[in-house]
Amino acid sequence: MNINSTLLLILSVISVPVSAWNILTDDFDVRCQQTAQILNCSYRSLATPAVGSPAVGSEVSLKTTDEVIQISNMTPFPQAGNTTAILFMVDTSDPGRQNVIEKNRVHLKEILANTKPHHKIGLASFDKDIHFILPVGTSNYLLLEAVSSLDAIGKTTELFRNLIKAIDHLKSFAAKRKFIILFSDGQAEDKAYFHSDVVKAARKHGVVINAIGYPRSIPLSVALQTIRRISEETDGYYIETDMRYDLTPAALKSLLATMDNGGSFSIDLTPLAKSSQVPDRITLVFNAQNIEVPVSIKAAKHQPERIIGELKPADQITANNNPPIQIITKQDDDLPINLWLWYGLPAAFIIIIIFILITLFLLWNRHSESGKNTDSGYKPYAYLISADGSETRYPITRTIWRIGRSSGNELTLNDASLSRYHAEIHRNADGSFSIIDMNSMNGIYVNDKKIKKVALHEGDLVEIGDIFLRFSKVASDYLLEESTVMQKTRKPGIQ
């Protein structure tokens, strides 16, 4: 932890919470926004739609500490005036993929045949750059003509950069929901843009990426994991063709159905403010699945007014038939509040400043000590030893030790079988070690068993991509140390 991250942590504790949330589960994408005491939510199911699914109004309820309240103002999507913006995005790189493009045309036409009036569709192709062929909202007639003219004429494929451009193109379009339908083999030749950049942009602007994967060959089909992850992490839907690039009509209909399910509702939070314990989050129940939504509820304040004095009826002015005069004031609760404002807040502010100064001093002192340890020969926690015969030893010198192809890792291995950030080794508080797969493409094997996270023990064989390493806590010079043996000794002075 450095100084900047410490300051950010302290400021985040005292910052004001936002009023909009996006909660993602395995089955639902829920988006809520609070205005005053009203919570407005919309949701969409991420599961594959089934025929005869229950009515929208019976799917969602509000669970409090005392009861479960059925939400009755459900409105299914789409309502009148709602639109869904859809941008078809087709990879037209590499003339050798022309047979894939011909299948793309077939699938595009099948999707267009099942679209509805609220679907506003546009078409783009991409290779090194993205080409917006028809804008969102174009008629199906013109779209069908443009689809028929798609050809594989490009060279390199900058997948991530062009996805970000497509998101930027959709963000200003006035639509209730926004989708990209990506037609790709997953190949990405970007050098400056990454998967995380696409997910960040999509979440920021509310764009969902659905994808159809076309495997070029069995060895190259591993690249489809790229677009599968992008779909999953942007709340999208992923389907994959067989090796002949065929899809069933039902799969394409499911792709459209996932974009139109769900609905919206609103909840009046005012009744919750009257309870003895005002909640800071509520629980929404979606088909028996509980989802917690943070809320900001202002408690109802009841400060009864107290009569300090009242004039006697004999003292009243009765000429104008006036009612009794009452002198009314509020309770003396204002006094403690004023004392808190005058003394409590400055004291709290001083305590925060002292805490920051102490934290900065401890970090500086720790940094100085770590520098001294390094200069005097810091002893590694453990080692990874190359199992290729060279016996190269890589010392593990940090409690979190990263391995991958990127230069930002503690151990950088320039091997194409490794992901940029492939794995992390953690030294736990009890001195034990564990290795974690950072969602790498080729995974991690420990003692020939594929893992996501597992404890490491002396002599474990770790396979990272095509590289084999053996874990050890023993230093290289340990085996060179001679063992102590008993010798015949005698007292000094005795010949």
Side-chain angles (χ1 to χ4, degrees):
M1 175 182 278
N2 56 28
I3 294 174
N4 291 333
S5 61
T6 304
L7 290 175
L8 181 61
L9 177 62
I10 294 169
L11 292 175
S12 65
V13 173
I14 61 176
S15 61
V16 178
V18 296
S19 59
W21 303 272
N22 179 206
I23 301 98
L24 178 65
T25 71
D26 292 338
D27 298 320
F28 291 99
D29 174 19
V30 184
R31 301 171 188 265
C32 293
Q33 185 170 6
Q34 183 179 348
T35 304
Q37 300 289 73
I38 301 297
L39 185 68
N40 298 304
C41 296
S42 62
Y43 76 95
R44 186 171 59 88
S45 173
L46 304 181
T48 303
V51 178
S53 57
V56 175
S58 63
E59 292 182 2
V60 186
S61 57
L62 169 64
K63 183 166 70 175
T64 67
T65 55
D66 303 322
E67 59 181 333
V68 176
I69 304 171
Q70 188 70 38
I71 296 174
S72 59
N73 61 351
M74 297 292 302
T75 55
F77 184 86
Q79 289 292 299
N82 291 162
T83 58
T84 299
I86 303 173
L87 178 64
F88 292 132
M89 190 172 167
V90 185
D91 182 356
T92 55
S93 64
D94 187 359
R97 296 179 61 255
Q98 184 59 36
N99 58 336
V100 179
I101 299 299
E102 291 172 1
K103 286 291 185 179
N104 291 159
R105 294 175 185 169
V106 174
H107 297 154
L108 280 163
K109 291 176 180 178
E110 288 185 30
I111 294 174
L112 287 171
N114 290 280
T115 55
K116 299 177 181 179
H118 68 279
H119 293 144
K120 306 301 178 184
I121 303 172
L123 177 65
S125 64
F126 71 97
D127 40 63
K128 181 177 176 60
D129 291 303
I130 190 168
H131 312 282
F132 295 102
I133 301 172
L134 290 174
V136 174
T138 302
S139 67
N140 281 15
Y141 174 77
L142 294 176
L143 284 165
L144 288 170
E145 285 191 343
V147 165
S148 300
S149 64
L150 289 173
D151 287 305
I153 57 176
K155 299 297 181 184
T156 59
T157 308
E158 296 191 23
L159 174 65
F160 301 137
R161 185 172 72 91
N162 290 319
L163 273 171
I164 293 171
K165 284 189 173 183
I167 292 167
D168 190 64
H169 178 76
L170 275 179
K171 71 180 182 182
S172 58
F173 194 86
K176 191 72 172 178
R177 296 180 177 181
K178 302 173 186 179
F179 292 88
I180 292 173
I181 300 182
L182 176 65
F183 297 75
S184 172
D185 56 14
Q187 300 294 322
E189 299 171 84
D190 302 63
K191 298 298 182 183
Y193 297 87
F194 305 100
H195 159 272
S196 58
D197 299 322
V198 176
V199 174
K200 181 180 178 181
R203 289 190 171 276
K204 179 180 179 181
H205 300 297
V207 177
V208 176
I209 301 176
N210 293 335
I212 304 177
Y214 295 81
R216 296 189 63 175
S217 63
I218 293 177
L220 293 177
S221 63
V222 68
L224 294 175
Q225 295 179 27
T226 301
I227 57 175
R228 180 193 291 272
R229 279 193 61 196
I230 288 176
S231 291
E232 291 174 350
E233 294 181 24
T234 60
D235 315 339
Y237 184 69
Y238 174 81
I239 53 177
E240 187 174 312
T241 69
D242 58 24
M243 298 306 296
R244 294 179 299 178
Y245 315 123
D246 289 328
L247 282 172
T248 64
L252 292 173
K253 288 181 180 179
S254 295
L255 183 68
L256 282 174
T258 58
M259 297 189 288
D260 284 343
N261 66 47
S264 59
F265 56 89
S266 60
I267 302 173
D268 185 2
L269 303 175
T270 305
L272 298 178
K274 298 177 182 179
S275 61
S276 58
Q277 293 183 346
V278 178
D280 60 356
R281 56 185 59 235
I282 61 174
T283 301
L284 299 177
V285 183
F286 289 78
N287 286 350
Q289 179 179 354
N290 294 343
I291 298 177
E292 286 193 345
V293 179
V295 292
S296 176
I297 302 176
K298 293 182 179 180
K301 295 183 179 180
H302 302 285
Q303 294 189 347
E305 297 179 337
R306 184 173 61 192
I307 301 175
I308 300 301
E310 181 177 341
L311 297 180
K312 295 180 180 180
D315 298 327
Q316 296 175 12
I317 302 174
T318 57
N320 296 324
N321 198 24
N322 291 331
I325 299 175
Q326 295 179 335
I327 303 173
I328 299 175
T329 183
K330 292 183 179 179
Q331 290 182 339
D332 295 332
D333 292 341
D334 289 337
L335 181 58
I337 295 175
N338 291 334
L339 289 176
W340 165 250
L341 292 175
W342 282 104
Y343 300 104
L345 288 179
F349 184 73
I350 292 172
I351 292 172
I352 291 173
I353 292 177
I354 294 173
F355 177 76
I356 292 174
L357 292 175
I358 293 173
T359 303
L360 294 178
F361 174 78
L362 292 175
L363 288 173
W364 175 82
N365 190 46
R366 181 179 178 182
H367 179 72
S368 299
E369 291 179 358
S370 64
K372 294 177 182 177
N373 290 336
T374 303
D375 294 339
S376 60
Y378 184 82
K379 183 179 179 181
Y381 295 122
Y383 303 84
L384 285 181
I385 306 170
S386 177
D388 59 0
S390 66
E391 298 296 320
T392 304
R393 300 176 72 88
Y394 303 104
I396 300 173
T397 56
R398 295 178 177 231
T399 54
I400 297 179
W401 202 68
R402 300 170 297 176
I403 308 170
R405 210 159 27 91
S406 172
S407 59
N409 295 287
E410 278 69 36
L411 175 56
T412 301
L413 298 172
N414 188 15
D415 191 291
S417 65
L418 269 66
S419 299
R420 291 182 178 89
Y421 295 97
H422 200 107
E424 284 185 0
I425 293 179
H426 289 199
R427 183 178 185 268
N428 305 314
D430 60 357
S432 63
F433 291 80
S434 57
I435 187 168
I436 302 171
D437 183 7
M438 302 304 292
N439 296 319
S440 62
M441 181 171 291
N442 291 321
I444 298 174
Y445 293 81
V446 176
N447 298 329
D448 294 329
K449 182 179 180 181
K450 190 170 185 180
I451 59 95
K452 283 293 182 182
K453 179 178 180 181
V454 73
L456 286 175
H457 303 93
E458 182 69 24
D460 281 350
L461 183 63
V462 180
E463 181 182 352
I464 302 177
D466 294 333
I467 296 176
F468 292 80
L469 303 164
R470 193 167 296 280
F471 175 79
S472 177
K473 295 183 181 180
V474 180
S476 59
D477 58 348
Y478 178 80
L479 298 176
L480 300 178
E481 296 179 2
E482 296 180 355
S483 59
T484 303
V485 297
M486 291 295 297
Q487 300 287 343
K488 292 182 178 180
T489 59
R490 59 184 176 180
K491 295 182 180 180
I494 298 178
Q495 301 298 325

